[in-house]
Amino acid sequence: MQTLTPVSACRHTTTIHVTTTQVTQFIDLTDRLERLVADADLRFGIVNVQTLHTTTAIIVNEHEPLLLTDFQALFEAVAPGAGRYQHDDMQARTVNVTEGERPNGHAHCRALLLPPSVCLNVTGGRLLLGRWQRVFLVELDGPRERDLSVIVFGETGR
Amino acid sequence: MQTLTPVSACRHTTTIHVTTTQVTQFIDLTDRLERLVADADLRFGIVNVQTLHTTTAIIVNEHEPLLLTDFQALFEAVAPGAGRYQHDDMQARTVNVTEGERPNGHAHCRALLLPPSVCLNVTGGRLLLGRWQRVFLVELDGPRERDLSVIVFGETGR
Amino acid sequence: MQTLTPVSACRHTTTIHVTTTQVTQFIDLTDRLERLVADADLRFGIVNVQTLHTTTAIIVNEHEPLLLTDFQALFEAVAPGAGRYQHDDMQARTVNVTEGERPNGHAHCRALLLPPSVCLNVTGGRLLLGRWQRVFLVELDGPRERDLSVIVFGETGR
């Protein structure tokens, strides 16, 4: 364990915009997050990555293309795209109905089982990630325009 | 990206008490959380919402009543209420046995797949949530008395 | 709600090393985390516990041995160990291939449905946990050597 007197507070907030191109898609955010930590000169603290949508998620896992297809198969097993969802019954539904509403109950159900935000540690000026850990935005109802909020919070080296 | 010199630190901690009335229930906490951020005059930082129970969860998703019934169906598919759980075998169990113990293995299993806490960003004095994002306490073994802890942490505008 | 002027900032970062001994294993971290908060003399703030691996997770649930076998059964139902995963097809795979690669697609899929980090509140010098809440590292592809990062962040009582 290591205790240091804080030098000066540091906080940055940024929005990352992503245009997704597929129905289900994994967008690797890791390089962008590492750059944010470096640009902020954050020495110690946290990075909180939050999606601003209800049919997306933030996950941390390995970036191996075949594994990402396994994840898609898991989503399909847990909440089938062709399943029946009350949320998609436009005869019955009266709340939050918008024009051109997509049938996306399956995407909300998939998002329910994944985190909407992930809080990661920063120490020694580096976003702490294990050898295989990569941070992804998961698109579950694309293609769409998506926004994430990232907060970098802690002590600077300046 | 935006960097500002901190004005003054701000932190509030509060407990939210909820009396749930149904076996499975979604309690929308969003208005209360937004009020907490406003009352604290938090300009920049995080809000960490944590349940204090093992058969509840904190989720972020759309508040559309039919969708919430889809979520219940998903819980039932993933961990059926009528399934067999070792945790409910009172002949075999010796640990953490209390009087009037409910058979709630299914509720623990459902909670396992949902977050016990959610960390959300605050910027410009506002809890950052997308258009459809609402924060819920999910009751998985009600009715019960439940407590949540909320920490509001960052810089004030005062 | 309670507002106090900060006394002095406090932050500690530590790595916890765990040698797991079983394929699936739940390692209770709660006592160690409580000690970290006490040693840091953290009065108010957060503890962020993050795994550094992609086939592990951090969960909060009850420490009852039979319940942990229910969790194993749930993992097996959601992502069977004997299932077929593209990630394990070494004829097809070209990315991140290492010597002695284990077939562990099921473990990645299980990890996908569990949190890689958990952010918990500290108030009054105490890690806030409900009566039955315990924090676990979940090993999903053991036995292995595993590392966690813990950040303790907030105000000290000193």
Side-chain angles (χ1 to χ4, degrees):
Chain A
M1 198 190 295
Q2 174 195 20
T3 315
L4 295 174
T5 314
V7 180
S8 70
C10 163
R11 88 279 191 306
H12 290 268
T13 176
T14 197
T15 301
I16 296 178
H17 182 80
V18 176
T19 301
T20 64
T21 56
Q22 296 162 44
V23 175
T24 304
Q25 192 176 347
F26 298 85
I27 295 97
D28 194 324
L29 304 168
T30 317
D31 292 344
R32 268 178 275 198
L33 297 175
E34 287 178 339
R35 238 176 357 249
L36 278 175
V37 170
D39 288 352
D41 197 21
L42 184 69
R43 208 177 57 186
F44 171 95
I46 55 166
V47 174
N48 196 53
V49 187
Q50 178 190 340
T51 181
L52 297 175
H53 307 275
T54 52
T55 52
T56 58
I58 308 295
I59 64 156
V60 178
N61 215 302
E62 185 179 344
H63 195 160
E64 192 279 294
L66 294 182
L67 183 63
L68 301 181
T69 68
D70 290 325
F71 290 167
Q72 289 204 47
L74 181 66
F75 295 155
E76 189 58 31
V78 165
R84 290 192 60 192
Y85 300 89
Q86 299 293 314
H87 182 62
D88 300 335
D89 180 352
M90 289 303 162
Q91 310 290 16
R93 207 173 122 190
T94 58
V95 176
N96 292 354
V97 180
T98 57
E99 216 175 316
E101 182 87 19
R102 304 183 188 198
N104 63 0
H106 65 288
H108 285 283
C109 285
R110 295 170 184 188
L112 182 68
L113 300 178
L114 300 172
S117 66
V118 170
C119 188
L120 299 169
N121 296 339
V122 173
T123 187
R126 221 169 45 84
L127 180 62
L128 273 183
L129 287 172
R131 182 178 179 193
W132 302 114
Q133 286 186 310
R134 306 287 293 179
V135 185
F136 297 87
L137 167 71
V138 188
E139 171 62 82
L140 298 163
D141 186 36
R144 294 241 199 194
E145 302 299 320
R146 300 300 199 177
D147 287 304
L148 315 175
S149 163
V150 184
I151 268 186
V152 171
F153 194 40
E155 291 166 27
T156 178
R158 273 167 204 152
Chain B
M1 198 190 293
Q2 173 195 21
T3 315
L4 295 174
T5 313
V7 179
S8 70
C10 162
R11 88 277 191 307
H12 290 268
T13 175
T14 196
T15 302
I16 296 177
H17 182 80
V18 177
T19 302
T20 64
T21 56
Q22 297 162 45
V23 175
T24 305
Q25 193 176 345
F26 298 84
I27 295 97
D28 194 322
L29 304 168
T30 318
D31 292 344
R32 269 179 275 197
L33 296 175
E34 287 178 338
R35 232 168 12 242
L36 279 174
V37 169
D39 288 353
D41 197 21
L42 184 69
R43 207 178 56 187
F44 172 95
I46 56 167
V47 174
N48 196 52
V49 187
Q50 179 190 340
T51 182
L52 297 175
H53 307 275
T54 52
T55 52
T56 57
I58 308 295
I59 64 157
V60 179
N61 215 302
E62 185 179 342
H63 194 160
E64 192 280 294
L66 295 182
L67 182 63
L68 302 182
T69 68
D70 289 325
F71 291 166
Q72 290 204 46
L74 181 65
F75 296 155
E76 189 58 32
V78 165
R84 292 191 60 192
Y85 300 89
Q86 299 293 315
H87 182 62
D88 300 336
D89 180 352
M90 289 303 161
Q91 309 291 16
R93 208 173 121 190
T94 59
V95 175
N96 293 353
V97 180
T98 58
E99 217 174 315
E101 182 88 18
R102 305 181 188 200
N104 64 0
H106 65 288
H108 284 284
C109 285
R110 294 170 185 188
L112 181 69
L113 299 178
L114 300 172
S117 67
V118 170
C119 189
L120 298 169
N121 296 340
V122 173
T123 187
R126 221 169 45 83
L127 179 62
L128 272 183
L129 288 172
R131 182 179 179 193
W132 302 115
Q133 285 186 311
R134 305 288 293 179
V135 186
F136 298 87
L137 167 71
V138 187
E139 171 62 81
L140 298 164
D141 186 36
R144 296 240 198 194
E145 302 299 318
R146 300 300 200 177
D147 287 304
L148 316 174
S149 164
V150 184
I151 269 187
V152 171
F153 194 43
E155 290 166 29
T156 178
R158 273 168 205 152
Chain C
M1 198 190 294
Q2 175 196 19
T3 315
L4 296 174
T5 314
V7 179
S8 69
C10 163
R11 88 278 192 306
H12 290 267
T13 176
T14 196
T15 302
I16 296 178
H17 182 80
V18 176
T19 302
T20 63
T21 57
Q22 296 161 46
V23 175
T24 304
Q25 193 176 345
F26 297 85
I27 295 97
D28 193 324
L29 304 168
T30 318
D31 293 344
R32 267 178 275 197
L33 296 175
E34 287 178 340
R35 238 177 355 251
L36 278 174
V37 169
D39 288 353
D41 197 21
L42 184 70
R43 208 176 58 186
F44 171 95
I46 56 166
V47 174
N48 196 53
V49 187
Q50 179 191 339
T51 182
L52 297 175
H53 307 276
T54 52
T55 53
T56 59
I58 308 295
I59 63 157
V60 178
N61 216 303
E62 186 180 343
H63 194 161
E64 192 278 295
L66 294 183
L67 183 62
L68 302 182
T69 67
D70 290 325
F71 290 167
Q72 290 203 46
L74 181 66
F75 295 155
E76 188 59 31
V78 166
R84 291 191 60 191
Y85 300 89
Q86 300 293 314
H87 182 61
D88 301 335
D89 180 352
M90 289 304 161
Q91 310 291 16
R93 208 173 122 190
T94 57
V95 175
N96 292 354
V97 180
T98 57
E99 217 175 315
E101 182 88 18
R102 305 183 188 198
N104 64 0
H106 65 288
H108 284 284
C109 285
R110 294 170 185 188
L112 181 69
L113 300 178
L114 300 173
S117 67
V118 171
C119 189
L120 298 169
N121 296 341
V122 173
T123 186
R126 221 169 45 82
L127 179 62
L128 273 183
L129 289 172
R131 182 179 179 192
W132 303 115
Q133 286 186 310
R134 306 287 293 179
V135 185
F136 297 88
L137 167 71
V138 188
E139 171 62 82
L140 298 164
D141 186 36
R144 295 240 199 194
E145 303 299 319
R146 300 300 200 176
D147 287 304
L148 316 175
S149 164
V150 184
I151 268 186
V152 172
F153 194 42
E155 290 167 27
T156 178
R158 275 166 204 154

